[in-house]
Amino acid sequence: MITESTSVLVDVRKYDGSPSAQWTATRLGDDEHGAWLGTAQGVPVRSATGGWTSRFAYVMVVPRDDWWTATFCVDPGPEMYCDVCTVPEWSADGTVLSMVDLDLDVVRPWGGAARIEDEDEFAEHQVRYGYPESLVGKARQTCEWLIEAGCRDGDGVEPFASAYRYWLGLIG
């Protein structure tokens, strides 16, 4: 397990390149699941529709070469919030993380079961942005995998079952 503390600009875009969300996180370290970023409560977030501040602290794992990221929040935020996205890309110096949000999300509230959100937005954006069929297929496949993998406490796979707790403990 590698640990470090580096500031990272997280830059999430829509398929047409317009901003979806942008904020600064701290790179907490890396393990077999990917890079772990921490965001404190109250961090400013910018988007095309305005700005807000993060309502609670959370960690995000950025896997290597997969079409998703997963965020794990302190209560009262959702326990798990997975974004289906293009494979995240790092700048050469590791200070900027970029990805394209593909709208589909898998959310697991504390004490609840994982569910898919924003299927309507995904359908709308397929038309608006002209998602290629290969991208639609990969996004749906990833979403279905996340629903299965995102089960809790030993029923799912890591990092969704419990591995995130170590990293969340560093900031929460």
Side-chain angles (χ1 to χ4, degrees):
M1 179 179 313
I2 301 168
T3 57
E4 54 193 86
S5 183
T6 305
S7 183
V8 174
L9 175 65
V10 180
D11 185 22
V12 183
R13 301 283 172 154
K14 291 296 183 185
Y15 193 73
D16 69 349
S18 64
S20 179
Q22 191 177 70
W23 71 96
T24 301
T26 300
R27 188 168 184 158
L28 302 172
D30 295 70
D31 67 10
E32 66 270 27
H33 306 295
W36 289 87
L37 307 179
T39 301
Q41 181 177 4
V43 168
V45 180
R46 294 172 300 286
S47 79
T49 59
W52 63 89
T53 58
S54 56
R55 295 178 309 188
F56 27 77
Y58 57 88
V59 294
M60 180 171 70
V61 62
V62 182
R64 296 166 195 85
D65 302 321
D66 284 318
W67 286 61
W68 57 269
T69 61
T71 299
F72 303 95
C73 305
V74 299
D75 202 8
E79 182 179 15
M80 178 188 84
Y81 193 105
C82 299
D83 284 299
V84 175
C85 59
T86 58
V87 174
E89 297 178 4
W90 292 94
S91 63
D93 65 0
T95 62
V96 178
L97 174 67
S98 303
M99 68 202 81
V100 174
D101 178 11
L102 298 176
D103 315 308
L104 292 171
D105 303 310
V106 175
V107 180
R108 184 179 73 207
W110 288 96
R115 67 182 184 279
I116 299 171
E117 292 191 352
D118 297 333
E119 289 183 278
D120 55 339
E121 186 178 353
F122 181 66
E124 176 188 324
H125 287 173
Q126 284 180 61
V127 174
R128 180 188 300 169
Y129 299 135
Y131 290 171
E133 281 304 311
S134 60
L135 184 136
V136 170
K138 186 63 177 176
R140 288 194 184 284
Q141 177 186 21
T142 300
C143 189
E144 290 302 319
W145 180 83
L146 286 167
I147 278 288
E148 294 298 318
C151 295
R152 72 176 69 256
D153 297 332
D155 291 331
V157 299
E158 295 298 356
F160 310 105
S162 64
Y164 66 91
R165 292 180 185 145
Y166 165 78
W167 299 98
L168 195 54
L170 295 178
I171 64 157

